[in-house]
Amino acid sequence: MSADEKSRNYIHVAREEQAKYMNALLQQNEKLRGQVATLESDYRRLENLQTSTAEELDGLRVKLDGVEQENRRYMEEHHQIETHNSNLANLYVASYQLHSSVDRDAVLRTIQEIVINLIGSEEVAIFERGASNDFNLVSAFGIESSKLLKFRLGDGPIGRTLAAGETFVNSHARGGESQLTACVPLKINDTIVGGILIFSLLEHKRELAPVDHELLELLAVHASTSLYCATLHGQVNAAVGA
């Protein structure tokens, strides 16, 4: 074989090898293109899935917030119902205690206990109208009796407050015999026969709650009747004993 033939044969073989190499490169490139397309498809699918998952999570968060709000509302309603039931129980107990005895001293103690335990004050005084129309102290707790002088209806701060005939409340009072937190008139047939004076509240209690106002109104109605009946009962027993 001549040199020229060898040269042409070498070129032919080189071209064939080059063609095979190019064809392999094209096949590899096509394969890579397919992989890229698959990866891009997977990427888009993952993006869509992520968006869908994020939307689902947002939806779940909204539902969860709604459930939590509903749960809080139910808890508040439950607390209100419990408080209401407790208040009703306190009112019932107070009313029952006031009418459970016709002993005058027992009635006075019951009034004090209602003020101390249910309303929350350890400074209470009870006045009663005497035959001379003076209002005299008949019971006191937590405050010096010597500072609670008798008075007439309409005279002095307490007399004027009592003369109004309505339950007086001042939640900002600091207590002491000169500052009333509440004044409850005791009436029989619209005639004021006595009064319950409440001075300072307990330290942990800043002001009277709505149920305290109900208790004061209960005292205004039932304490006067109970005390009046107990007084009559004592007078009848005294007359019978005489």
Side-chain angles (χ1 to χ4, degrees):
M1 181 180 295
S2 65
D4 186 53
E5 289 177 345
K6 288 182 180 180
S7 178
R8 284 197 299 271
N9 187 48
Y10 175 79
I11 293 172
H12 178 72
V13 172
R15 284 178 177 176
E16 285 183 350
E17 291 293 330
Q18 185 179 13
K20 290 179 181 179
Y21 180 71
M22 291 296 296
N23 186 50
L25 284 178
L26 289 174
Q27 290 178 354
Q28 186 66 23
N29 185 57
E30 193 65 27
K31 184 178 180 181
L32 289 174
R33 284 176 179 273
Q35 290 178 350
V36 168
T38 301
L39 289 173
E40 287 178 345
S41 176
D42 290 343
Y43 179 76
R44 286 192 295 270
R45 183 175 59 81
L46 288 174
E47 275 190 330
N48 294 333
L49 180 62
Q50 185 177 10
T51 301
S52 176
T53 302
E55 290 175 352
E56 290 179 1
L57 286 174
D58 290 339
L60 289 175
R61 288 192 187 98
V62 171
K63 289 181 180 180
L64 181 61
D65 289 341
V67 171
E68 288 179 345
Q69 290 178 4
E70 191 74 5
N71 185 54
R72 284 194 295 269
R73 186 176 67 82
Y74 281 127
M75 290 295 291
E76 289 174 0
E77 289 181 357
H78 179 70
H79 177 70
Q80 290 175 357
I81 291 172
E82 281 191 335
T83 301
H84 182 66
N85 289 339
S86 177
N87 293 343
L88 288 177
N90 287 339
L91 291 171
Y92 172 78
V93 169
S95 177
Y96 175 81
Q97 288 176 339
L98 285 170
H99 295 288
S100 64
S101 176
V102 291
D103 179 74
R104 179 180 169 82
D105 291 336
V107 172
L108 291 172
R109 283 195 303 272
T110 298
I111 295 172
Q112 285 185 350
E113 289 172 359
I114 291 173
V115 172
I116 295 168
N117 298 323
L118 298 183
I119 295 178
S121 171
E122 291 185 345
E123 291 184 356
V124 55
I126 304 171
F127 281 82
E128 194 172 29
R129 193 172 195 167
S132 62
N133 287 328
D134 288 331
F135 281 76
N136 302 299
L137 181 67
V138 293
S139 176
F141 184 89
I143 195 162
E144 294 182 26
S145 301
S146 59
K147 294 182 179 181
L148 299 171
L149 305 176
K150 65 181 180 179
F151 60 89
R152 289 204 168 206
L153 202 63
D155 293 340
I158 295 177
R160 288 193 294 271
T161 302
L162 199 60
E166 301 292 336
T167 299
F168 166 82
V169 174
N170 177 18
S171 296
H172 301 291
R174 296 183 178 179
E177 64 277 0
S178 61
Q179 291 194 25
L180 285 172
T181 294
C183 177
V184 181
L186 302 178
K187 295 188 288 186
I188 298 294
N189 295 329
D190 294 328
T191 300
I192 299 174
V193 297
I196 302 172
L197 311 181
I198 301 173
F199 297 94
S200 67
L201 299 174
L202 296 175
E203 290 184 4
H204 68 273
K205 190 162 189 172
R206 295 184 177 181
E207 60 182 4
L208 295 175
V211 67
D212 297 323
H213 290 265
E214 294 183 33
L215 284 167
L216 292 176
E217 294 301 327
L218 181 143
L219 286 173
V221 174
H222 294 277
S224 55
T225 304
S226 298
L227 190 57
Y228 181 72
C229 291
T231 301
L232 288 180
H233 184 267
Q235 291 174 351
V236 169
N237 283 346
V240 171

